[in-house]
Amino acid sequence: MSTAREKIGDGGGTPHPEPRAEDDPDAILRDGRRLDHAEGASKPLRPPSDPRPEPQPRGARVHGDRPIDQAEAAARFIAAPEHEKMHDERLWDLRQKRDREMHGIPEWEELRSLASAIKEHTLSHLDEYLDQFEANARSNGIYVHWARDGAEHNQIVHAILRDHGATSLIKSKSMLTEECGFRPYMASVGMEVIETDLGERIQQLDNEDPSHVVVPAVHKLRADVARVFSRTIGTDPGDSDVHYLAEAQREATRPLILTADAGMTGCNFAVAETGTFVVCTNEGNADLSANVPKLHIASIGIEKIIPRLEHLAVFIRLLSRSALGSPITQYTSHFRRPRRGGEMHVVLVDNGRSERLGMEEFWTSLKCIRCGACMNTCPVYRRSGGLSYGATYSGPIGLIIDPTFNARKYSNLPFASTLNGSCSNVCPVKINIHEQIYAWRRVLVERHEAPLAKKAAMKAAGALLSRPAAYRAAIAAANIALAHLPRFVIYNGLNAWGKHREVPHPPKQTFHSWHQANRGAKQ
Ligand code: SF4
């Protein structure tokens, strides 16, 4: 859902433009004027004398159902300063663009409230709207299938492809298919799947999951992409020019697209009253996937339903502005019926959504339209990279959704947040994200799924905070220790907090003793 520049992380080098010299003979001209924006280059963070490329930090280590250690993966990302800086600035740039777009729409808050109300109404009547969508889609000539979970989704799609003798499939980006483990399943049955979204294709070629719901390869530097392409499609490993890389990828993929047996898309919105669905992209790749082969399969999460076509306008105005800070996606494609001689299938997927709908504190997370704004604004996400979460969904919305799939495996995630509330402030459908993250912490403790170290620390803190005398004695002891102990005693391997921070100097007097001295007698 973003342009080639956006997909290639620092492609375009927006944070550090370095225009060519005035008299550069290679400057790009149009109508006699220089196009400086076409010449931007990233300024290296390390001195040019250091020729070693910074290795790309990889994501969280996943071992079955064992809890993902997000902090460990985040520490590795932070230890790669070029990646961390680019990622932080790139996403903050999107956040600022989003703010500019927001300020251009006086009724922005009304739109958010409306979007939230439409979603809450729909989710409260989901069974009715799903039935309505199914009936109308069928009358439009679309085959409608229902999948209880990811495995069923994969089997249904496989059966459709098998019935048509299809052996190759082109697909546009879909977080739902990531959730279902679709590509690994297809590989296991010998079916070739080609991602048509540039960022998603980069990730596929690098054997990585998307790190962001909108910009899947945003964590990669251009040099990382150059390395992936040189390894997989034979480009020059030393050439990280964005246009060269994008063109090379287009040349490599286009023949596969033109000869594919079937095409697959996700869906941004499915309209109950018309039985139609809408896919939003910036590359037009969904249109290729849907229109080049005669067979089109769309995977749709059941929460994507909206009641009426007029509601679409509310979401379309919010989606791209919130995601990339652009007024609208380049392509907003409506699909109503199969084209002449073709066939269209829709797979409506539950995969835990019904269960989440019944969770009193978390059901409104189903309002999410996957814009990624909460990720772009989150200080933890921006500095740790999406792959550090080791889950399909990362960033603030991931902290809420992932534990609904597997509370034990994702038990560390709700603690990867400062709870600053910025995510809730930018969410176009007004999900109370930070409150739900906080609620998950409590639920995980109640279910005994919280990490042991955190539980022990919280228990000790609880015991201390509930005994004022013990608390005051501990503070006094800590103040003396901080003032007099040698540095290595305080800053050692056991003090994780102090790895990147200085412990503040203790005040000469605590607030309590000041209050006793100055106000205590008057009470
Ligand atoms: S939770 Fe809100 S801000 Fe985050 S991706 Fe979903 S809709 Fe966007």
Side-chain angles (χ1 to χ4, degrees):
M1 292 186 49
S2 59
T3 65
R5 279 176 173 243
E6 286 152 356
K7 287 291 159 44
I8 302 177
D10 64 341
T14 39
H16 306 292
E18 264 189 348
R20 291 175 187 272
E22 278 299 312
D23 55 352
D24 190 329
D26 294 330
I28 299 171
L29 304 176
R30 181 175 296 160
D31 301 331
R33 291 183 55 210
R34 287 176 52 140
L35 296 180
D36 284 344
H37 66 274
E39 301 165 3
S42 292
K43 183 158 65 182
L45 294 176
R46 287 177 295 138
S49 55
D50 184 354
R52 292 165 305 166
E54 182 179 273
Q56 184 192 327
R58 295 297 175 178
R61 297 178 178 120
V62 180
H63 306 283
D65 277 355
R66 274 177 39 196
I68 298 287
D69 191 347
Q70 194 270 345
E72 180 273 333
R76 278 189 282 113
F77 193 79
I78 291 167
E82 288 183 46
H83 286 81
E84 189 216 8
K85 184 170 166 57
M86 175 280 297
H87 194 257
D88 186 16
E89 292 182 344
R90 182 76 188 90
L91 293 170
W92 187 244
D93 184 50
L94 292 181
R95 159 74 210 259
Q96 288 178 316
K97 284 179 180 155
R98 172 252 173 220
D99 288 354
R100 281 199 287 277
E101 283 297 323
M102 176 197 76
H103 290 307
I105 302 213
E107 68 275 24
W108 182 262
E109 287 306 315
E110 285 168 48
L111 276 178
R112 286 179 75 214
S113 299
L114 200 50
S116 173
I118 293 167
K119 280 282 182 183
E120 288 192 12
H121 165 82
T122 315
L123 290 167
S124 311
H125 301 79
L126 192 55
D127 52 342
E128 297 163 31
Y129 287 119
L130 281 168
D131 283 347
Q132 193 185 356
F133 174 82
E134 180 184 22
N136 288 329
R138 284 190 195 283
S139 67
N140 292 340
I142 302 174
Y143 293 93
V144 180
H145 311 259
W146 295 85
R148 257 185 300 259
D149 54 27
E152 209 167 273
H153 163 269
N154 297 343
Q155 286 155 11
I156 289 169
V157 176
H158 182 209
I160 298 168
L161 295 172
R162 206 178 40 217
D163 291 349
H164 288 76
T167 57
S168 63
L169 175 73
I170 52 172
K171 86 179 256 299
S172 66
K173 191 164 71 59
S174 151
M175 292 310 293
L176 176 60
T177 56
E178 297 290 333
E179 194 184 305
C180 295
F182 179 69
R183 263 199 338 249
Y185 173 84
M186 283 288 131
S188 74
V189 295
M191 189 78 66
E192 186 184 16
V193 178
I194 307 291
E195 296 288 350
T196 55
D197 174 283
L198 178 58
E200 190 75 22
R201 181 67 175 158
I202 293 168
Q203 291 305 92
Q204 181 183 23
L205 292 175
D206 201 21
N207 203 20
E208 272 192 335
D209 292 332
S211 75
H212 187 286
V213 292
V214 177
V215 272
V218 70
H219 60 295
K220 280 182 162 68
L221 298 170
R222 286 189 298 182
D224 300 328
V225 179
R227 278 195 291 274
V228 174
F229 282 4
S230 76
R231 204 175 63 231
T232 52
I233 59 171
T235 55
D236 175 356
D239 192 342
S240 59
D241 177 79
V242 175
H243 308 287
Y244 166 70
L245 293 172
E247 185 57 29
Q249 180 50 41
R250 188 180 294 118
E251 291 291 323
T253 309
R254 199 49 65 92
L256 305 174
I257 293 174
L258 294 177
T259 55
D261 299 319
M264 193 165 174
T265 65
C267 157
N268 291 88
F269 306 100
V271 185
E273 76 170 346
T274 55
T276 59
F277 58 95
V278 173
V279 184
C280 304
T281 69
N282 280 317
E283 296 173 17
N285 57 304
D287 302 83
L288 283 175
S289 304
N291 292 309
V292 175
K294 287 194 169 166
L295 175 61
H296 175 195
I297 305 167
S299 298
I300 304 180
I302 56 173
E303 84 285 13
K304 292 293 170 82
I305 297 283
I306 56 173
R308 295 207 296 276
L309 201 55
E310 68 187 75
H311 297 149
L312 196 56
V314 176
F315 295 100
I316 295 295
R317 292 186 77 194
L318 287 166
L319 178 61
S320 193
R321 288 187 168 92
S322 301
L324 298 171
S326 60
I328 194 165
T329 44
Q330 301 293 320
Y331 298 85
T332 302
S333 305
H334 295 241
F335 295 97
R336 187 183 189 92
R337 57 169 64 95
R339 63 199 163 98
R340 194 166 297 145
E343 210 170 285
M344 189 182 282
H345 292 254
V346 153
V347 188
L348 292 165
V349 186
D350 186 314
N351 203 32
R353 286 158 174 74
S354 296
E355 201 183 328
R356 204 181 313 150
L357 194 55
M359 300 169 99
E360 199 180 335
E361 290 176 284
F362 306 113
W363 71 276
T364 57
S365 63
L366 287 162
K367 293 192 290 183
C368 176
I369 57 171
R370 309 277 190 264
C371 72
C374 56
M375 301 171 174
N376 303 344
T377 199
C378 174
V380 176
Y381 177 87
R382 282 191 278 116
R383 292 179 183 91
S384 57
L387 297 179
S388 70
Y389 295 74
T392 302
Y393 300 101
S394 51
I397 185 63
L399 307 189
I400 306 171
I401 294 180
D402 295 323
T404 66
F405 292 119
N406 189 330
R408 181 173 150 69
K409 184 171 182 177
Y410 302 117
S411 55
N412 282 318
L413 297 191
F415 296 91
S417 169
T418 63
L419 300 180
N420 65 17
S422 179
C423 45
S424 306
N425 288 342
V426 298
C427 178
V429 286
K430 285 195 158 183
I431 300 173
N432 58 337
I433 306 172
H434 70 296
E435 289 170 358
Q436 293 194 33
I437 294 171
Y438 186 59
W440 260 118
R441 293 183 185 181
R442 196 199 69 246
V443 170
L444 289 166
V445 170
E446 284 167 3
R447 289 195 199 168
H448 306 290
E449 296 286 7
L452 279 179
K454 281 202 171 63
K455 260 169 73 177
M458 290 301 133
K459 213 168 174 180
L464 199 63
L465 293 172
S466 59
R467 293 176 182 80
Y471 173 75
R472 281 197 285 278
I475 290 293
N479 284 347
I480 293 168
L482 281 172
H484 296 99
L485 285 179
R487 192 174 166 79
F488 74 88
V489 178
I490 299 166
Y491 296 96
N492 56 42
L494 295 173
N495 181 5
W497 195 89
K499 271 185 198 164
H500 303 287
R501 310 175 186 87
E502 284 289 312
V503 180
H505 286 295
K508 290 198 174 72
Q509 189 179 29
T510 64
F511 174 75
H512 183 261
S513 59
W514 174 89
H515 193 269
Q516 285 294 97
N518 293 283
R519 303 279 167 82
K522 294 175 192 162
Q523 288 179 344

